[in-house]
Amino acid sequence: MDHSFQYLHYTPCTFHKYQKLPVNISIRYANSSKDRNRKTASQPPTLPLYHQTTAYTMEAKMTNRLKRLFGEEEDEDEQQEEENYSNHPDEEEHRQRQESNQSSPSSASQSSSSTSSGAAGAAASSSSSSGSSSRSSSSNRSRSSGSGSGSGSEREADEDDTGEVISHSNNDYNNNNSSGYHQNEEDDDDYKDLFGSDNEDYAKTLSKSRFPVPVLPPIRNTNHQTRGGFARGRWQNDRGAGILPRPGPYPPRQNYGYGSKFFNGHRDERFVSELKFAKSEETLARKCIAFQEPCELACFSRVEGGDVYFDDRSLRLFKRLITEDVGADLNQGFDTFTEKKDLGSQGFGDLLASIRNKNLPLDRMHFVTYRNNLNKIMATAYLRNEAWEMGVHKRKGVVYLDVHKLPERPQSVLDRRRCYWGYCFESLATEDPRRSDGEGIHHVDANVEYCSVVKTKLGAHRVLMGAEMDCCDSTDDGRRFYVELKTSRELEYHTEEKYEREKLLKFWIQSFLAGVPYIVVGFRDDAGRLVRTERLRTKDITHRVKMKNYWQGGVCLAFADEVLCWLYGTVKENEDYILQFTPHSARLELLQAQSCPDAITDHVQQLNSSTIP
């Protein structure tokens, strides 16, 4: 039966008068005579005699204090049982047998005398705790006089069998004093409190140092740039190059610290202002930006040859039985395909001409643009891996946004073929009166288009926008609505996420801005064969991606509102600018432009001439 206690013991130390020292005490009681008479193996040598005596005396006092602390009174029966156990004849015979086996005659005589004295003391002592402690100390003294490992094993066996108290201390606090409790009076000066009032050296110490505070030399850097600015990557401490060369065989980076990546590096001479993307997605999501439903005000059509008519002759009708064409080859007619030409500012001129043709007032408009420019601005809230730019020109309070096409790498034959698959699907999904039943697709001209001019309001800004429409359909009551046609590679488990993050975002922005309610997507394989079709409702796309937390339509609107507010308040009247975005950067830059497109200049002149009476 084992009982373990732990309490705090105060011992003298060098700097403090008392120190808390945890001591673990284990009490083991023998259960039978067999346990008391069992033989144990040899144990390591024991401590010196005076250490054992002191430790055993301390253990007995600790045990009595713990019993008094927990309310355990020493009964006379327990004390009597202890005396009977300590004077047991078997124990006396066992001790005499161990003493006779010792090698040294002197140690044997000493142990026998100590044993006899211990026995006499045990017979004469009363049931008090002082008597038990004296018996323990005398028996400890007799066992510690033995030499070698044999005496250590005998001590271990006796302590285990007789139920004596075993003490284990975490610190060897007996190295300084033999007793552990008392200290010499002559050592009182060594244990005095260093921070007490009786310490004259401490009391006379000044609270303030007589030495002056050191002052660091000034930094000799004349750049006065913040971290990440002009001096990034150079010697910002103005101490020159380091002593050691650059580690490794790698050459130093050229022009590091300059360019659009660093906000205060060498800017373009045309730089006017910038808009940093400082607001997070959570901040933009909390903004509620109103968007007015688009209302169509005008339209125009471009036919083969490039002629423009202000009607809907180029508008095609959606073929509802598109599912019957699943399995069709989208490569048919590629040899006779006419690619789209870059009209530059001429395309913007056709939009302005349609506005003048309908005499649409612009005095209350803030922006006039193609839908493509707003697509770029809204998509930048999430997609920042594509560079773009547009012209910005403010005339009579109206900001005209002109489309700029950036130079692209030369397209391969496969790139041109994939581009054609989209035009071929548009021809396949629309009714063509010139094509008979069963006739294949041929002579596809990408320049033929129909454009709708709609008015809307994003936040506080009124926008007049031109948007190309693929086809239209009508309801049972004859109301016409537009349908957007798109193509995409057949989805797989590892491409579905990218499709929903990027492509569905672009599909939704393009259809939402122009008020297109439906999108029909044709999925094809790598060979260009139509696999299946899917019809999407524009308003359902946001619910589809909202559950997966890919993107939010409200964030795109809030981001576009931030850009339009900054842009309209920054540009000045009768001045020309370029708004550009660099991939993987967190800002938009507004640069000064040298000229204004002729289409905008002619448009403004015609508006001025029409207002003159």
Side-chain angles (χ1 to χ4, degrees):
M1 180 177 181
D2 295 337
H3 297 278
S4 299
F5 306 95
Q6 183 175 4
Y7 72 100
L8 299 178
H9 172 58
Y10 292 88
T11 58
C13 62
T14 304
F15 297 103
H16 301 281
K17 293 184 178 180
Y18 297 98
Q19 177 182 5
K20 293 183 179 180
L21 190 64
V23 178
N24 296 328
I25 299 177
S26 301
I27 302 177
R28 179 180 298 175
Y29 299 94
N31 295 327
S32 63
S33 60
K34 294 182 180 180
D35 294 334
R36 291 193 298 269
N37 296 333
R38 72 176 184 271
K39 296 182 179 180
T40 58
S42 60
Q43 300 293 334
T46 60
L47 296 174
L49 181 59
Y50 63 93
H51 280 295
Q52 297 181 12
T53 304
T54 306
Y56 197 86
T57 304
M58 292 167 55
E59 292 165 2
K61 292 182 178 181
M62 293 175 187
T63 305
N64 296 334
R65 291 178 181 178
L66 286 174
K67 289 181 178 180
R68 287 193 298 269
L69 179 63
F70 290 97
E72 297 181 3
E73 299 293 339
E74 292 184 352
D75 298 336
E76 294 182 359
D77 297 339
E78 295 179 359
Q79 295 178 0
Q80 186 65 28
E81 183 181 357
E82 228 179 56
E83 292 177 0
N84 296 338
Y85 173 72
S86 61
N87 296 327
H88 198 276
D90 294 341
E91 182 185 3
E92 296 295 333
E93 293 177 2
H94 182 64
R95 290 181 181 178
Q96 292 177 3
R97 194 183 303 111
Q98 289 179 348
E99 293 171 0
S100 64
N101 292 335
Q102 292 181 356
S103 59
S104 175
S106 59
S107 61
S109 59
Q110 182 180 358
S111 61
S112 62
S113 60
S114 62
T115 306
S116 60
S117 62
S125 62
S126 61
S127 61
S128 62
S129 61
S130 61
S132 64
S133 63
S134 64
R135 287 195 307 271
S136 302
S137 62
S138 62
S139 62
N140 258 343
R141 199 176 293 111
S142 64
R143 280 191 294 271
S144 64
S145 62
S147 62
S149 62
S151 62
S153 63
E154 292 165 4
R155 177 178 179 273
E156 178 72 15
D158 291 344
E159 292 179 358
D160 292 343
D161 294 341
T162 59
E164 294 173 349
V165 180
I166 304 173
S167 174
H168 302 282
S169 176
N170 292 339
N171 295 324
D172 190 9
Y173 54 86
N174 293 324
N175 293 337
N176 297 330
N177 300 304
S178 61
S179 63
Y181 273 98
H182 306 285
Q183 58 183 3
N184 298 331
E185 295 179 359
E186 59 186 9
D187 297 338
D188 289 344
D189 296 339
D190 297 339
Y191 302 127
K192 64 183 179 180
D193 189 2
L194 295 180
F195 303 99
S197 59
D198 55 345
N199 192 347
E200 297 180 358
D201 296 337
Y202 172 74
K204 293 180 180 180
T205 303
L206 299 178
S207 60
K208 294 184 179 180
S209 176
R210 55 188 177 87
F211 299 99
V213 179
V215 180
L216 298 178
I219 300 176
R220 297 175 297 167
N221 187 8
T222 59
N223 291 328
H224 300 290
Q225 299 293 332
T226 59
R227 182 180 179 184
F230 175 78
R232 186 183 177 102
R234 302 180 66 84
W235 309 318
Q236 297 203 13
N237 53 8
D238 200 24
R239 297 178 183 176
I243 300 177
L244 299 178
R246 179 180 175 87
Y250 310 105
R253 290 173 289 185
Q254 301 294 331
N255 296 328
Y256 185 75
Y258 304 97
S260 57
K261 180 179 179 181
F262 304 96
F263 66 92
N264 56 352
H266 281 299
R267 299 188 185 276
D268 197 321
E269 296 178 354
R270 305 171 298 169
F271 178 81
V272 175
S273 179
E274 67 178 8
L275 175 64
K276 298 180 182 179
F277 305 157
K279 295 185 178 180
S280 62
E281 180 181 356
E282 291 77 9
T283 304
L284 295 175
R286 288 193 292 265
K287 298 181 63 176
C288 184
I289 304 300
F291 183 81
Q292 187 179 20
E293 183 179 0
C295 177
E296 186 175 16
L297 301 180
C299 65
F300 66 92
S301 300
R302 182 176 286 107
V303 298
E304 296 181 1
D307 295 334
V308 177
Y309 298 91
F310 302 112
D311 51 28
D312 58 355
R313 66 181 66 186
S314 296
L315 180 60
R316 293 174 289 187
L317 184 63
F318 175 70
K319 185 170 63 176
R320 298 181 178 179
L321 300 178
I322 182 61
T323 55
E324 296 180 355
D325 295 325
V326 172
D329 187 9
L330 300 179
N331 292 284
Q332 54 180 335
F334 176 71
D335 298 335
T336 60
F337 173 58
T338 303
E339 297 182 2
K340 192 177 185 65
K341 300 177 182 179
D342 185 14
L343 301 177
S345 299
Q346 180 181 353
F348 195 47
D350 297 336
L351 173 62
L352 299 178
S354 64
I355 295 175
R356 296 192 305 270
N357 182 70
K358 289 290 184 177
N359 295 323
L360 299 178
L362 299 178
D363 53 347
R364 300 187 60 186
M365 290 294 171
H366 298 94
F367 292 93
V368 176
T369 178
Y370 268 112
R371 179 180 56 181
N372 188 22
N373 289 328
L374 295 182
N375 292 346
K376 297 174 183 177
I377 294 176
M378 291 185 63
T380 308
Y382 289 98
L383 307 179
R384 301 179 181 178
N385 54 356
E386 297 180 2
W388 54 264
E389 70 176 35
M390 63 185 70
V392 182
H393 315 275
K394 191 171 185 180
R395 299 293 185 271
K396 300 183 66 175
V398 181
V399 178
Y400 298 89
L401 302 180
D402 187 18
V403 177
H404 285 189
K405 186 177 181 179
L406 296 178
E408 301 177 354
R409 61 180 179 85
Q411 290 185 343
S412 61
V413 178
L414 181 59
D415 295 335
R416 295 176 57 250
R417 187 175 295 273
R418 288 176 177 173
C419 183
Y420 171 75
W421 291 343
Y423 290 107
C424 183
F425 177 72
E426 292 180 1
S427 299
L428 196 65
T430 55
E431 302 285 352
D432 189 357
R434 299 175 300 177
R435 188 175 69 246
S436 59
D437 295 340
E439 184 180 0
I441 305 298
H442 57 83
H443 294 92
V444 176
D445 191 353
N447 297 285
V448 177
E449 61 181 1
Y450 168 81
C451 187
S452 173
V453 181
V454 297
K455 179 190 71 172
T456 185
K457 185 178 181 181
L458 198 158
H461 301 92
R462 299 180 181 88
V463 181
L464 194 60
M465 176 178 56
E468 180 183 357
M469 300 298 178
D470 294 331
C471 60
C472 69
D473 200 353
S474 60
T475 60
D476 296 337
D477 56 357
R479 186 176 61 88
R480 189 176 72 178
F481 60 89
Y482 296 108
V483 179
E484 193 72 32
L485 301 176
K486 295 294 181 181
T487 56
S488 178
R489 186 176 179 270
E490 176 64 351
L491 300 181
E492 299 176 357
Y493 70 96
H494 62 278
T495 60
E496 183 177 1
E497 180 178 353
K498 185 178 180 181
Y499 169 79
E500 293 180 347
R501 283 185 179 271
E502 299 181 6
K503 278 202 169 183
L504 281 187
L505 175 61
K506 294 180 179 180
F507 293 170
W508 176 82
I509 292 175
Q510 185 174 359
S511 301
F512 176 79
L513 286 175
V516 179
Y518 294 101
I519 305 172
V520 176
V521 184
F523 293 93
R524 47 87 184 169
D525 57 12
D526 294 335
R529 188 171 298 276
L530 186 63
V531 177
R532 63 183 178 92
T533 60
E534 182 182 4
R535 191 187 73 165
L536 302 175
R537 297 182 63 179
T538 303
K539 64 180 182 180
D540 294 340
I541 295 178
T542 54
H543 299 288
R544 175 177 175 178
V545 298
K546 185 178 181 180
M547 302 300 296
K548 301 180 180 180
N549 198 22
Y550 288 159
W551 51 268
Q552 302 179 49
V555 174
C556 298
L557 291 175
F559 181 81
D561 182 68
E562 294 278 340
V563 175
L564 295 183
C565 290
W566 165 75
L567 192 61
Y568 193 84
T570 303
V571 297
K572 298 179 180 180
E573 185 69 25
N574 296 326
E575 291 193 6
D576 307 305
Y577 306 90
I578 295 177
L579 179 65
Q580 69 175 9
F581 171 74
T582 305
H584 307 292
S585 63
R587 68 185 181 278
L588 295 176
E589 291 184 344
L590 189 64
L591 308 179
Q592 191 75 40
Q594 300 298 329
S595 61
C596 179
D598 296 336
I600 299 178
T601 304
D602 296 341
H603 170 72
V604 174
Q605 291 179 356
Q606 295 186 34
L607 290 180
N608 294 334
S609 61
S610 61
T611 57
I612 298 176

